[in-house]
């Protein structure tokens, strides 16, 4: 069983690191523009606290190497993200964020470590830190509940990025299996909750994604229909009315093929622009939601 738990732990490490690296694109944009724009620093500050506490838990736990490695790597990445945020944030936001870092990542973390070493002894040390870590992880997995409520209310998945939801689902599943194999309730309970919530998110995505695709196809069909009707109306007006087939001045002669082809090109161009605008709005929305998902 030890070898199987090690393999599952390695898989959990890989998936977790993929989740931790998801903000890289965000901070590449921040560095390029030298501005944090409308991004919030709280998700990265709280994730830094969570990974730091789990790293401490991995140090205390016998055989906790895999817990230490993944959360140690996560803590390093979150430290870099927080540092970049503080460098490029506006002055007012920077001051507030630095105060939050001082309270959570220095004060609270230092207090937990001090209490664990000086006050608690034996197995109580692991229990104390484990409870704190489990609480933070449950909060992480519960944070998308508001997004799920929005999806149900709006019947749209534009506020729920699929890849992030999918990797959080896989992450929770892998660590749940690992926890069962090593009999660690502090890892198992929050990740089991995360696995259930992740399953619900994916089910909602499948339900409302199909509805969104159906509405999109219906909207495109209506757009084509409207464009064709408008063109037909224009052609009818030019010919003196749809039922006017007078031969005077050659108006009854069919329009050249190149004119019809040009009209079709205008229709397809209108459809293409409409879809491009819709896709851009979806990308902009997903960009904002990613921060919400990562606490």
């Amino acid at each position: 069983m030890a070898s199987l738990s090690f393999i599952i732990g390695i898989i959990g490490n890989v998936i977790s690191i993929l989740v931790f690296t998801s903000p890289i694109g965000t901070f590449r944009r921040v560095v390029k523009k030298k501005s944090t724009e409308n991004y919030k620093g709280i998700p990265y500050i709280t994730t830094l606290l969570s990974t730091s506490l789990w790293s401490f838990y991995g140090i205390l736990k016998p055989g906790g190497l895999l817990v230490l490695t993944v959360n140690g790597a996560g803590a390093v990445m979150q430290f870099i993200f927080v540092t970049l945020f503080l460098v490029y944030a506006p002055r007012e936001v920077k001051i507030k964020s630095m105060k939050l870092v001082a309270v959570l990542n220095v004060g609270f973390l230092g207090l937990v470590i001090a209490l664990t070493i000086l006050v608690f002894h034996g197995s109580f040390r692991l229990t104390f830190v484990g409870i704190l870590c489990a609480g933070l992880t449950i909060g992480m997995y519960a944070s998308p509940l508001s997004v799920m409520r929005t999806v149900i209310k709006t019947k749209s998945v534009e506020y729920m990025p699929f890849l992030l939801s999918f990797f959080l689902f896989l992450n929770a599943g892998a660590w749940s299996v690992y926890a069962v194999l090593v009999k660690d309730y502090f890892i198992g309970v929050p990740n089991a909750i995360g696995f259930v919530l992740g399953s619900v998110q994916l089910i909602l995505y499948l339900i409302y994604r199909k509805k969104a695709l159906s509405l999109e196809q219906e909207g495109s069909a209506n757009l084509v229909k409207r464009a064709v009707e408008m063109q037909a109306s224009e052609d009818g007006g030019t010919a003196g009315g749809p039922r006017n087939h007078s031969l005077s001045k050659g108006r009854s002669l069919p329009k050249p093929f190149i004119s019809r082809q040009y009209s079709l090109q205008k229709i397809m161009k209108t459809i293409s622009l409409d879809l491009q605008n819709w896709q851009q709005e979806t990308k902009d929305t997903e960009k904002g939601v990613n921060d919400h998902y990562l606490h």
Side-chain angles (χ1 to χ4, degrees), residues 269-282:
K269 184 177 180 181
T270 302
I271 297 172
S272 176
L273 289 174
D274 183 75
L275 291 177
Q276 287 177 8
N277 291 334
W278 178 83
Q279 291 172 353
Q280 184 60 43
E281 291 175 0
T282 301

Side-chain angles (χ1 to χ4, degrees), residues 63-123:
L65 176 63
L66 293 175
V67 177
L68 173 61
T69 53
V70 65
N71 286 284
V76 171
M77 284 185 279
Q78 297 305 316
F79 177 79
I80 295 173
F81 295 152
V82 170
T83 301
L84 289 174
F85 184 87
L86 293 177
V87 169
Y88 293 106
R91 179 178 175 79
E92 184 178 349
V93 176
K94 183 182 300 185
I95 292 174
K96 291 181 179 180
S97 299
M98 290 179 68
K99 290 179 179 178
L100 192 60
V101 169
V103 171
L104 294 180
N105 302 119
V106 179
F108 182 76
L109 180 62
L111 180 62
V112 170
I113 294 174
L115 288 175
T116 303
I117 295 175
L118 301 176
V119 177
F120 298 102
H121 302 282
S123 61

Side-chain angles (χ1 to χ4, degrees), residues 56 87 138 143 158 160 172 207 224 249 276:
F56 185 48
V87 169
I138 290 174
S143 61
E158 64 177 329
M160 183 184 292
I207 292 174
V224 173
K249 297 184 180 181
Q276 287 177 8

Side-chain angles (χ1 to χ4, degrees), residues 24-258:
I24 287 179
T26 296
F27 281 94
R28 184 181 292 115
R29 173 178 176 144
V30 167
V31 173
K32 183 178 180 180
K33 293 196 171 185
K34 300 185 184 303
S35 172
T36 56
E37 299 179 308
N38 293 323
Y39 294 114
K40 307 297 181 182
I42 293 179
Y44 312 106
I45 295 172
T46 54
T47 305
L48 175 59
L49 174 63
S50 177
T51 52
S52 299
L53 282 175
W54 274 115
S55 298
F56 185 48
Y57 179 85
I59 294 173
L60 295 174
K61 178 181 172 62
L65 176 63
L66 293 175
V67 177
L68 173 61
T69 53
V70 65
N71 286 284
V76 171
M77 284 185 279
Q78 297 305 316
F79 177 79
I80 295 173
F81 295 152
V82 170
T83 301
L84 289 174
F85 184 87
L86 293 177
V87 169
Y88 293 106
R91 179 178 175 79
E92 184 178 349
V93 176
K94 183 182 300 185
I95 292 174
K96 291 181 179 180
S97 299
M98 290 179 68
K99 290 179 179 178
L100 192 60
V101 169
V103 171
L104 294 180
N105 302 119
V106 179
F108 182 76
L109 180 62
L111 180 62
V112 170
I113 294 174
L115 288 175
T116 303
I117 295 175
L118 301 176
V119 177
F120 298 102
H121 302 282
S123 61
F124 288 104
R125 290 179 173 178
L126 194 65
T127 301
F128 174 65
V129 178
I131 291 174
L132 292 175
C133 291
L136 285 172
T137 304
I138 290 174
M140 177 192 76
Y141 285 124
S143 61
L145 285 175
S146 60
V147 178
M148 293 165 62
R149 185 166 53 250
T150 302
V151 169
I152 295 173
K153 184 177 180 180
T154 62
K155 302 184 185 305
S156 171
V157 295
E158 64 177 329
Y159 299 100
M160 183 184 292
F162 174 76
L163 287 180
L164 185 59
S165 300
F166 181 66
F167 278 110
L168 287 174
F169 165 79
L170 291 181
N171 185 63
W175 286 110
S176 296
V177 174
Y178 174 82
V180 171
L181 295 175
V182 300
K183 298 179 175 59
D184 190 319
Y185 299 107
F186 299 118
I187 297 176
V189 171
N191 282 286
I193 294 173
F195 182 77
V196 172
L197 292 176
S199 301
V200 174
Q201 289 181 60
L202 293 180
I203 291 172
L204 287 176
Y205 189 91
L206 291 175
I207 292 174
Y208 291 107
R209 177 59 178 169
K210 289 181 180 179
K211 292 184 178 181
L213 287 174
S214 177
L215 291 174
E216 180 183 345
Q217 292 173 355
E218 182 180 347
S220 298
N222 290 335
L223 182 62
V224 173
K225 183 179 178 181
R226 288 197 304 269
V228 171
E229 289 175 349
M230 290 175 61
Q231 185 61 39
S233 177
E234 291 178 2
D235 291 346
T238 303
R243 298 183 180 275
N244 185 2
H245 295 285
S246 173
L247 292 176
S248 61
K249 297 184 180 181
R251 287 182 181 179
S252 63
L253 295 177
K255 290 219 171 194
F257 171 75
I258 191 169

